[in-house]
Amino acid sequence: MLGPVRAPDGPSPAGPADPLPIPGDLPDPGARPASSGLLPGALSLRLALRARPVSAARRLLLAAVSAATGYLLLACLGDAADGPWQSHGALVRLAWCLVPLAVVALLAVAVGRAEISGGTAAGLATAGFGPARLPQLAAAQVAQAGLLGSAAALVTFVYQREQATDPATLPYAGLATLLLAVPLVTAAACLVALRPRRTWAGTRLTAAVTGVVALAAGVLLVHLAGVPAHGGWRLPGGLGRIAPATFTGWALALLGTLLAAPGLLALTGLLLSVFRPGARRLLAGRALRGDAGRLGPPAGLLASTAVAAWSAHVMRQHATRPAGHLTLLAAAVVVAGALACLAAAADDARRARATTTRLLTTLGAGPGLLRSTAYLRTAVLLAVCGPLTAVVAWLAVPGVGR
C-alpha cells in the first residue's frame, strides 16, 4: 500500500504556498456592495443637491404643493383655536382637506417613480439600492420635499398669525401633527405604491372591471340620492349642502375613474395595434399598452378633477356667498397636482422609451415616423379621457346639492 504523501521540505520552486482562505473571508455572491451602508435619507440628500434641472423642478413643485396643503391644515387648526364657535366649521374644513392631501400623495408617487426609474435605477443598483430598497429611497426623497413644504407653510402661517389681533395660542401637539402629516403621507404612499410586486396578466383587467363597476354604482347612487331639502353636509366655499349618499356616489365615481383609466388605455392600445396595423399604429398601440400603468392613474386623476370642476361650476350658480381664499387655494392645489402628476408620468414614460427610440433610429426609422407616432398616442389619449370625463360629468351633475 502506498503511504501518505509527504510534502517536500523547503519552499516549492513556485514560491511559498499561499495560506488557505478562511471561509469567512470568501466573497459572498449575494452580498451587497460596501456602499450599500448609505442610509436612504443621506443618499436622497446627495441626489437632491446634484439633481438635474428637470428633477429639481419636480421636487420643487412637490414642495410647493405640499406647502399649500400644509397651510390649509394649519388654517383649520387656527380657526379651531380662535374660538369654540368655529370648531365645527374647522372640523368640516379639515375633513375636506383630505382631498388635496390625497392629490399630494398621488403626485408624490409620480415624482418618486420618475426619480428611481430609467437609467437612475441602474446606477443606484451599483450603490446597493436594488429593487427592494428603491421604494425607501423614493420615500426619503418625497419626504424631504414634504418637510421643505411644511416648513414654508409654518413660516407663512406664523407670519399671518402675528399680523392678527390677539391670536389664540395653538396646541403644539396639533401643530406638530399637522406639519408632519404631509411628509408622512407622501412617504407612506411611495412605500406602498412603488414596492416590488409580481404582475399578473389579469390584474389590469380586474382593476378596469372593478373601476367600471364602481363608476356605475357611484352614478346610480348619485341619481337615487336626489337633492336634500334640509340637512346634509355643508360644502366649502358657500356651495350649499350635499346629501351623504351623493357624496358617497361621487367618491365611488371618481375612484372608479381612477381604477378604470389604466385598463381603458391598455385596451385602446390593443385595439389600435390589431387588424393589419401599419408602422405608426403598431408603435403607438404598443407604447400605449406599455405606458398604461404610468399614464393611466394620472389621466384618471385629471379626468376626476375635471368632473369635480364642472360640478363646482354648476353649484356656483346657486352659491350663497363667494368662495374664500382657502377654497380657491384648495382648488388650485388639486388642479396643479393633477397636471403635475400627468406631466411627471409623461416624462417618466418618455425616458422609459428612450432605449426603444434609439433602437428604432438605428434601424432607420425617421424623425417623421417617431413624431407622427407621438401625435397619434396623444390623440388616442385625449380621445379616451375626453369622452370619459364628459360622460361622468354629465351623469354626476344631477345629484348636486343646493
Side-chain angles (χ1 to χ4, degrees):
M1 294 179 61
L2 295 176
V5 179
R6 296 179 58 188
D9 297 331
S12 62
D18 295 333
L20 292 176
I22 302 175
D25 295 338
L26 292 176
D28 185 7
R32 294 174 179 172
S35 59
S36 64
L38 286 174
L39 294 176
L43 183 57
S44 63
L45 184 58
R46 286 187 181 184
L47 293 176
L49 295 177
R50 300 181 180 181
R52 297 178 296 112
V54 177
S55 177
R58 281 196 298 260
R59 300 186 190 193
L60 288 178
L61 182 59
L62 177 60
V65 177
S66 301
T69 306
Y71 180 81
L72 290 173
L73 295 174
L74 294 179
C76 296
L77 179 64
D79 290 342
D82 285 340
W85 59 89
Q86 295 185 3
S87 299
H88 178 70
L91 290 177
V92 173
R93 285 192 292 271
L94 185 62
W96 282 108
C97 285
L98 295 177
V99 177
L101 188 61
V103 173
V104 172
L106 292 175
L107 176 59
V109 171
V111 171
R113 181 181 286 114
E115 292 294 334
I116 62 175
S117 63
T120 307
L124 292 174
T126 62
F129 284 85
R133 300 188 67 191
L134 284 179
Q136 301 175 12
L137 181 61
Q141 290 176 344
V142 299
Q144 289 175 358
L147 287 174
L148 179 61
S150 296
L154 178 62
V155 171
T156 305
F157 178 73
V158 170
Y159 175 77
Q160 289 191 350
R161 292 282 293 182
E162 290 180 351
Q163 304 301 319
T165 57
D166 194 16
T169 303
L170 297 177
Y172 293 106
L175 190 64
T177 301
L178 294 180
L179 284 176
L180 293 177
V182 176
L184 292 179
V185 168
T186 54
C190 281
L191 287 176
V192 173
L194 302 181
R195 71 183 188 276
R197 61 172 64 92
R198 298 180 63 181
T199 56
W200 302 94
T203 302
R204 191 170 294 167
L205 178 60
T206 304
V209 173
T210 305
V212 172
V213 172
L215 178 60
V219 170
L220 180 62
L221 190 58
V222 165
H223 280 267
L224 293 178
V227 179
H230 300 285
W233 295 345
R234 182 178 297 277
L235 294 173
L239 297 179
R241 295 181 177 273
I242 184 175
T246 302
F247 177 80
T248 305
W250 278 2
L252 283 176
L254 298 183
L255 179 62
T257 305
L258 286 174
L259 293 176
L264 290 179
L265 286 181
L267 179 61
T268 305
L270 178 63
L271 295 177
L272 192 63
S273 57
V274 297
F275 303 113
R276 297 181 180 180
R280 291 179 181 84
R281 286 176 51 197
L282 183 62
L283 292 176
R286 290 189 174 182
L288 281 177
R289 291 175 62 186
D291 296 339
R294 293 185 180 92
L295 296 178
L301 176 62
L302 188 61
S304 302
T305 304
V307 172
W310 174 252
S311 301
H313 171 70
V314 174
M315 296 170 68
R316 287 303 306 170
Q317 301 176 3
H318 310 282
T320 57
R321 56 184 176 85
H325 65 281
L326 294 179
T327 303
L328 296 178
L329 180 60
V333 167
V334 173
V335 174
L339 293 175
C341 281
L342 187 58
D347 181 68
D348 184 23
R350 179 188 60 81
R351 291 190 292 117
R353 291 193 305 267
T355 304
T356 305
T357 303
R358 286 194 298 267
L359 179 60
L360 291 175
T361 304
T362 304
L363 294 176
L369 176 62
L370 300 178
R371 192 180 303 113
S372 60
T373 303
Y375 291 157
L376 181 58
R377 285 198 311 268
T378 305
V380 171
L381 182 64
L382 293 177
V384 171
C385 296
L388 177 64
T389 303
V391 170
V392 175
W394 179 67
L395 293 175
V397 165
V400 169
R402 296 183 180 180

